[in-house]
Amino acid sequence: MRVSLLVYGVLYVVVEIVGAQIEAVGWPQLTALDVATAVANACLTVAVGIAVLVGLDVGGRRWRRSVQAWQEERTRLTEESWDEQTPITVTSWRPEPLALPAGTSWRPVPRTDADYAVPSHGRPFPEESGRLL
């Protein structure tokens, strides 16, 4: 079906070109040479159109193949460059960290004879009963 539409389109273009050139000459002055010129011009127009389409098709295929080869080459070179790479050593630009300050010395909790220890500082435990949190 595609080929038949293409042939119909080409014949339509030829008939239109021939008709336009014959109309330009006029029916009373029409000779066989005018008809032959119109047919030759129509065929030349169709041939140039086909040549342009074929040239675009061939150029597109060549361009596609060259782009594909270029991409394959880049991929191959990228893979090779990853294989050749070694680790990069970097020196730190930061200064050495400061030593931690000395903390308070450890003191044992004072022991009493009670069931609980009295804190050395702060508020002592309440003696009254109530809510203790």
Side-chain angles (χ1 to χ4, degrees):
M1 175 154 177
R2 223 172 169 191
V3 175
S4 62
L5 287 176
L6 184 65
V7 170
Y8 174 75
V10 169
L11 286 176
Y12 179 76
V13 168
V14 168
V15 169
E16 284 294 320
I17 291 174
V18 169
Q21 288 185 354
I22 289 175
E23 187 179 332
V25 172
W27 285 106
Q29 295 88 10
L30 187 63
T31 63
L33 185 59
D34 292 329
V35 173
T37 303
V39 170
N41 288 341
C43 290
L44 178 64
T45 303
V46 169
V48 168
I50 290 173
V52 167
L53 290 176
V54 169
L56 288 173
D57 185 46
V58 170
R61 288 182 185 186
R62 287 185 58 124
W63 179 75
R64 191 176 308 119
R65 280 196 311 255
S66 67
V67 167
Q68 186 178 11
W70 176 72
Q71 287 176 343
E72 289 173 358
E73 181 70 16
R74 274 191 78 176
T75 303
R76 187 183 60 79
L77 290 175
T78 303
E79 288 173 355
E80 287 177 2
S81 69
W82 278 107
D83 293 341
E84 295 172 0
Q85 288 184 354
T86 58
I88 300 172
T89 57
V90 179
T91 57
S92 177
W93 55 269
R94 295 182 180 178
E96 289 292 324
L98 299 174
L100 294 175
T104 59
S105 62
W106 180 78
R107 290 180 294 169
V109 176
R111 182 137 172 103
T112 62
D113 292 338
D115 290 342
Y116 59 90
V118 177
S120 59
H121 61 288
R123 198 171 125 199
F125 291 113
E127 292 297 327
E128 69 269 356
S129 62
R131 242 174 114 178
L132 300 177
L133 294 177

